[in-house]
Amino acid sequence: MNNIGYQLIRSWVKFSLHFYFKKIEIHGLENVPKNKAILFLPNHQNALIDALLIAVGTGRKPYFLVRSDVFSKPFLKKVFNFLRMLPIYRIRDGRSSLKNNEAIFNTCASLLCNKEAVLAFPEASHSLIRKVRPLSKGFTRIIFTALLKNPNLDLVIIPVGVNYEEAVSFPDKAALFFGKPIEIQEWYNSENLNESVTKIKDLVSNQLKKITIHINDDESYNTIIKRIEVDNLSYLDPIKVNAAIKLYNLKEGIKLTATNTKRRKGFFYYLFVLLNFPIVFLWKKVLVSKLPEKEFTATFRFALALLMYPFFFMPLFLILSICFSWGISSLVVFAIIIYDYLYVKLT
């Protein structure tokens, strides 16, 4: 029964993501084995949206590690556990809480030994900066714990590049790149764990820097961003963008004209607001002010839509059915859904 419930929620999330994003591209899905233990290791920009895209973008049903503070409410803890989320504790949660990670790592190791898929964010935090940050060694502890349980475990790491056109905007575009599988048995040396940690971290980091936008020059970051926009390059094509970045000579003194990336609010936007007024009102007047960090913008917005649209359409359908007829009610609700879909895909 739990599996049926999980499948229904997963399908609803997948359906909703295609209403939220103008476009979702998936590359390298052939790199994801179907019957092996997998540790997905993506870059982390966009809070929970990163995990949701990967969870529905592959045929696997991964368990994923998320920051422990979201488990603070008992009800939410039950919901997140049902959705295969596991808490990971950070130093900011209190040094004493770090001991709880041992049990989580053991759980992840057991899952991998059962040929399940686990998703962990090796950067250990999120950031909207288009750069692969230094990797934590936490994910290697999961690997080594799994190999202690089963030294012959056929385990692969799949680096995942998650790229957004503009992560805080709506509607947005996203592109997932599943990297080449890293066979852990080739790089694991039980006699020299420190060397194994370094090699595995370097392998993952180097792959991530190829399949997501990586701007390593902090001082020239804004100039490089402007140059990418002037050259009209797509952030959904990290291979092309990263190649262009390597060729940029920022000392040439090229005058860069600032581009206005802010979307104009025209007739179709205001019609969208009118047709979806209760949802838009809740977002702008209630939720925006409660965002803990800018990186949570898309997650909160998507969660609001995911949870509230059924409660928006059901009363609307009933009221119109009472005032007119079920036929007119169905037509109006259907028309709003179609308009919302076309607005996301075409604007």
Side-chain angles (χ1 to χ4, degrees):
M1 191 68 181
N2 283 345
N3 190 51
I4 294 174
Y6 175 81
Q7 279 295 109
L8 289 172
I9 293 175
R10 187 172 184 269
S11 298
W12 175 238
V13 169
K14 185 174 184 178
F15 173 80
S16 301
L17 283 170
H18 283 282
F19 264 80
Y20 183 88
F21 284 94
K22 183 178 295 189
K23 177 167 62 174
I24 300 175
E25 297 178 2
I26 299 178
H27 305 270
L29 202 54
E30 67 278 4
N31 292 328
V32 181
K34 296 181 179 179
N35 300 307
K36 284 186 178 183
I38 298 178
L39 181 59
F40 289 109
L41 296 176
N43 62 301
H44 199 15
Q45 289 188 337
N46 209 0
L48 189 58
I49 294 292
D50 293 341
L52 293 178
L53 282 170
I54 297 169
V56 303
T58 172
R60 302 300 297 262
K61 302 171 186 176
Y63 292 80
F64 42 99
L65 298 173
V66 298
R67 47 195 279 181
S68 62
D69 56 341
V70 303
F71 288 78
S72 58
K73 305 291 184 182
F75 172 74
L76 291 178
K77 184 176 181 179
K78 290 181 180 179
V79 172
F80 291 144
N81 286 336
F82 179 78
L83 296 176
R84 301 190 175 200
M85 298 183 189
L86 302 170
I88 190 73
Y89 298 86
R90 304 160 300 165
I91 190 68
R92 70 183 68 176
D93 300 317
R95 187 173 295 276
S96 62
S97 68
L98 295 179
K99 64 179 182 294
N100 297 322
N101 284 334
E102 197 65 39
I104 298 300
F105 291 153
N106 273 309
T107 298
C108 291
S110 297
L111 290 169
L112 292 173
C113 287
N114 289 326
K115 295 185 179 181
E116 296 283 1
V118 175
L119 186 155
F121 294 104
E123 293 171 310
S125 63
H126 53 214
S127 173
L128 293 171
I129 300 296
R130 299 183 189 273
K131 174 184 179 179
V132 177
R133 288 162 286 129
L135 306 188
S136 164
K137 66 179 182 180
F139 75 91
T140 62
R141 290 180 60 190
I142 295 174
I143 294 169
F144 298 161
T145 304
L147 291 174
L148 280 175
K149 291 177 179 289
N150 181 3
N152 299 314
L153 179 63
D154 188 7
L155 168 63
V156 297
I157 286 177
I158 306 288
V160 187
V162 187
N163 301 273
Y164 300 95
E165 183 179 70
E166 182 53 58
V168 299
S169 296
F170 171 79
D172 191 22
K173 298 178 183 177
L176 300 182
F177 288 77
F178 291 94
K180 296 179 181 179
I182 299 172
E183 302 281 350
I184 284 301
Q185 292 289 355
E186 296 180 17
W187 303 96
Y188 173 66
N189 180 0
S190 60
E191 302 298 322
N192 193 337
L193 292 182
N194 288 333
E195 182 183 57
S196 297
V197 168
T198 300
K199 287 183 176 180
I200 293 170
K201 283 175 62 178
D202 287 346
L203 283 168
V204 174
S205 182
N206 290 337
Q207 271 214 51
L208 287 176
K209 289 173 183 177
K210 293 176 182 177
I211 56 180
T212 189
I213 308 297
H214 179 61
I215 303 175
N216 196 41
D217 188 341
D218 293 338
E219 290 185 4
S220 301
Y221 179 85
N222 290 331
T223 303
I224 293 171
I225 288 292
K226 289 180 182 178
R227 180 66 181 266
I228 292 170
E229 292 171 355
V230 167
D231 290 346
N232 199 28
L233 299 176
S234 172
Y235 289 121
L236 304 187
D237 189 349
I239 296 172
K240 186 175 181 179
V241 172
N242 288 335
I245 290 171
K246 290 180 180 179
L247 297 176
Y248 287 161
N249 184 351
L250 302 176
K251 295 180 180 180
E252 290 178 346
I254 298 175
K255 185 177 180 181
L256 301 177
T257 303
T259 55
N260 182 12
T261 58
K262 190 174 182 180
R263 296 173 183 174
R264 295 180 180 178
K265 297 179 179 179
F267 170 78
F268 295 108
Y269 167 79
Y270 290 109
L271 181 56
F272 175 85
V273 171
L274 179 63
L275 294 176
N276 300 271
F277 181 75
I279 309 295
V280 175
F281 179 83
L282 282 173
W283 169 247
K284 291 185 175 293
K285 299 300 181 181
V286 180
L287 273 188
V288 168
S289 62
K290 298 183 182 301
L291 292 174
E293 297 167 311
K294 196 174 182 181
E295 286 84 354
F296 279 98
T297 302
T299 297
F300 274 50
R301 186 194 287 122
F302 178 73
L304 174 68
L306 187 73
L307 297 173
M308 295 305 299
Y309 264 106
F311 296 101
F312 167 56
F313 283 122
M314 284 189 291
L316 178 63
F317 179 83
L318 291 174
I319 291 170
L320 291 176
S321 296
I322 293 171
C323 295
F324 301 100
S325 68
W326 70 265
I328 292 176
S329 179
S330 300
L331 184 62
V332 170
V333 170
F334 182 73
I336 293 174
I337 293 173
I338 292 299
Y339 179 82
D340 288 352
Y341 181 80
L342 292 176
Y343 175 80
V344 167
K345 299 300 180 183
L346 300 179
T347 58

